[in-house]
Each structure stands twice: as structure tokens, then as C-alpha cells.
Amino acid sequence: MKYLKKENNIYSFSANNEASIIVEEGEEFILEAYDCFANQLKDSDDKLSTINWDNINPATGPVYINGANAGDILRIEIKDINISDHSVMVVAPGEGLMGERFKEHQTKIYKIEDNKLIFSEDIEIPVSPMIGVIGTAPSSSSISTGEQGEHGGNMDCNIISKNTVLYLPVNVKGALLALGDLHAVMGDGEVEFCGAEIGGEVTLKIDIIKNEKLPLPLLENEDKIITISSANNLDSAVKDSCDKMLDFLINFTTLSSVDAALLMSAVGDARICQAVDPLKTARFEMEKKYLKYLKSK
Ligand code: CA
Ligand code: CA
């Protein structure tokens, strides 16, 4: 299986990036990833204030997918996420929703043992590995790996995990996909600026969808369809994720627009992905058991 090491990484999604690896449609491959601090925080004495901020959110790639052309959609199957044996979290003055409450930088290193994050003597947290940053190159200019958008990016959606399918746009030939910012576990909102940051390996399989319109980024797992939106504030992000879901339901299920909107209100869930970056990210979740599809996706 092809394996791309973590040293092959980018800090912005751009059409000008050179591909680090070429894969075929349907081929499984592995991307190794640094943690979001590029492994600069090795113990609790290392502080966020002293590391190189140019090396935040490295994304391993770019991956060139043979046959992907602008206008296509990538169907990205996350086959597996293997995380390392320790995770790092930080409290940083001014960062996160409670950052003003803290005067000093703090770094905590947690062991991962038997699929649990050892938070303290009393608290063990089952890990739930996820991908914070995953995206494709935009058609023009470049987008920092710390930002979010239709291309994906730093969505910090904790559903982007093993056995999930993520749909992203192809804006340039080959798509130039990259990913990083793995979390051992992260709550909705990522409220204090970080998840349980960790390095690891991600196994992907990518297919190319031609001549289809989907509200992107779109997620699918065994139980749910999920739309994702990022905007200047959470209100706008939530509204946009609802509009995307309504569009999806109208186009791909047998529901009328009235029934789709009411069903969303009855059984759909508006949730927060992350509330700590300049753009905020929300998602809307619908359980598939309520949906009768016109076409199988
Ligand atoms: Ca992130
Ligand atoms: Ca992170």
C-alpha cells in the first residue's frame, strides 16, 4: 500500500502545490500526519508561546488523484485512523472561548493506553479518533490549512472518523487533497481551542464522482447524512448547513420541500463543529432511516 510520510506536508491548499503522491481511483493508501503543532510540544515545559507558529496545522499531501478533474466530486472513504501513544492539549491566554480566564500558557501531555486517553487518575476517556483538517485545493489563490470553506479544510467536525465518507469538490486537476490535525477525541465546539491533538496514520480510499451536484462538504456514515458549513458566525453557519440539507433532501429524496423542511425540524439536529476559529463551523445531521432516496449515493 502506498504510504506518504508526515514530512510531506503543506500549510495552505493551493493549485500551485506540487503533488507528493499520485494515487488511482479506488486504491487504498496511507497518509501519516503530525499533530497540529507539528510535534513541537513534546512535554509540559514546551509552551505554545515559544513554538514556531508558521508550523501550525501541517496537512500531509498533496495527494494527486488520477482522473480527477475540475467539476468532479471526490468520494473519500476513511477506512482507518491509527493514532500515536500520546496526545497534547494546551490552554493559551486569549485562545478558545475561555481563553481570557487564563494568564499563562499550559501544556498537558496525555498517554493513550488501551484506546483510552488517561486524562487524570480518576478520568479515562475512550478515544474517538477524527480528522480536524482535510481539504482539496481551491481553483485560484490559496487557503491556509487553518481555515475552512467549501474545499473543506479545518472543519474540526468530530464525525470525520473511521467508516465515514466525506465528499469534497475537485477544483483543480488531481484535486490535491491533504489532511492533518488529528484528534484522539474532541467535543462539539472544540471550546478551549484544541482537541486532544495527536499524530497518526489515516487510510483512505477515494472514488471520483462525475456530473453530479452535491452540497459540499457533505458527510455520510452508516446512519446519517450530514451537511457542513463555515461562516463568520454560528448563526450563519447553522442557517447555511440547513439550506444545504434542504437542497440535498429536495434533490435526492422523494420529499417535497415542505415535508423536507418539516422533517428536518422534527428529527434533524443542528450541531456545532467548532466555535473557536475566525470562521465558525456548523453541521446539520439527518438520520437516513427517515429518507427514501430517489438515487442511491
Ligand atoms: Ca483544527
Ligand atoms: Ca486541532
Side-chain angles (χ1 to χ4, degrees):
M1 205 182 297
K2 284 176 190 163
Y3 188 102
L4 186 65
K5 290 179 79 68
K6 60 185 183 296
E7 290 79 10
N8 300 284
N9 60 54
I10 56 170
Y11 289 91
S12 60
F13 294 98
S14 166
N16 297 323
N17 288 334
E18 243 178 72
S20 292
I21 185 174
I22 299 172
V23 301
E24 303 299 325
E25 188 175 8
E27 172 186 11
E28 284 190 30
F29 61 97
I30 296 175
L31 302 178
E32 183 189 33
Y34 282 114
D35 68 32
C36 74
F37 306 115
N39 296 14
Q40 293 180 90
L41 299 175
K42 294 194 183 333
D43 63 53
S44 54
D45 291 334
D46 294 335
K47 298 291 190 287
L48 195 59
S49 48
T50 60
I51 67 173
N52 184 352
W53 274 68
D54 290 339
N55 294 116
I56 299 281
N57 281 323
T60 305
V63 179
Y64 184 102
I65 298 102
N66 250 342
N69 289 304
D72 296 343
I73 291 172
L74 294 187
R75 181 187 186 279
I76 304 156
E77 204 176 327
I78 299 159
K79 305 289 285 185
D80 204 3
I81 303 177
N82 272 320
I83 52 175
S84 87
D85 60 1
H86 66 280
S87 169
V88 58
M89 296 191 81
V90 297
V91 156
E95 301 287 354
L97 299 185
M98 299 156 286
E100 82 286 357
R101 307 271 293 262
F102 302 99
K103 299 277 179 286
E104 289 181 359
H105 286 268
Q106 293 274 337
T107 299
K108 301 259 194 180
I109 309 285
Y110 303 106
K111 279 188 184 158
I112 309 288
E113 287 176 0
D114 299 329
N115 292 322
K116 293 190 190 91
L117 182 145
I118 312 301
F119 192 79
S120 67
E121 273 186 19
D122 305 328
I123 302 174
E124 295 183 349
I125 306 171
V127 298
S128 184
M130 56 160 279
I131 302 169
V133 171
I134 180 167
T136 54
S139 55
S140 59
S141 74
S142 69
I143 303 176
S144 158
T145 51
E147 294 173 34
Q148 308 79 9
E150 199 203 335
H151 73 295
N154 191 11
M155 296 179 282
D156 286 315
C157 171
N158 57 22
I159 312 273
I160 302 180
S161 55
K162 184 178 174 176
N163 295 332
T164 303
V165 173
L166 172 65
Y167 300 88
L168 288 178
V170 180
N171 300 307
V172 301
K173 205 169 163 49
L176 301 179
L177 176 101
L179 65 76
D181 188 28
L182 308 182
H183 300 151
V185 61
M186 189 200 89
D188 276 347
E190 200 184 26
V191 293
E192 195 41 42
F193 176 62
C194 60
E197 306 295 337
I198 199 160
E201 296 170 330
V202 179
T203 307
L204 299 178
K205 174 172 165 294
I206 298 180
D207 290 297
I208 301 164
I209 300 175
K210 306 268 182 194
N211 305 313
E212 191 65 270
K213 282 205 173 353
L214 290 172
L216 301 174
L218 185 75
L219 268 177
E220 179 175 15
N221 61 23
E222 196 180 354
D223 304 319
K224 292 176 179 174
I225 289 280
I226 300 155
T227 49
I228 301 177
S229 292
S230 300
N232 288 322
N233 55 60
L234 278 172
D235 286 2
S236 301
V238 170
K239 175 176 168 34
D240 193 54
S241 68
C242 287
D243 281 327
K244 283 180 174 172
M245 182 58 78
L246 185 61
D247 287 339
F248 178 84
L249 295 178
I250 292 168
N251 287 326
F252 290 96
T253 74
T254 53
L255 293 163
S256 69
S257 58
V258 168
D259 286 343
L262 292 178
L263 190 64
M264 285 171 62
S265 210
V267 299
D269 288 315
R271 295 192 192 275
I272 296 168
C273 293
Q274 62 79 22
V276 290
D277 290 337
L279 295 181
K280 317 299 179 200
T281 306
R283 67 182 184 273
F284 195 88
E285 303 184 359
M286 280 298 283
E287 288 197 70
K288 287 181 181 173
K289 66 183 178 190
Y290 295 111
L291 307 178
K292 192 170 176 196
Y293 289 84
L294 291 173
K295 324 179 201 177
S296 166
K297 286 287 109 193

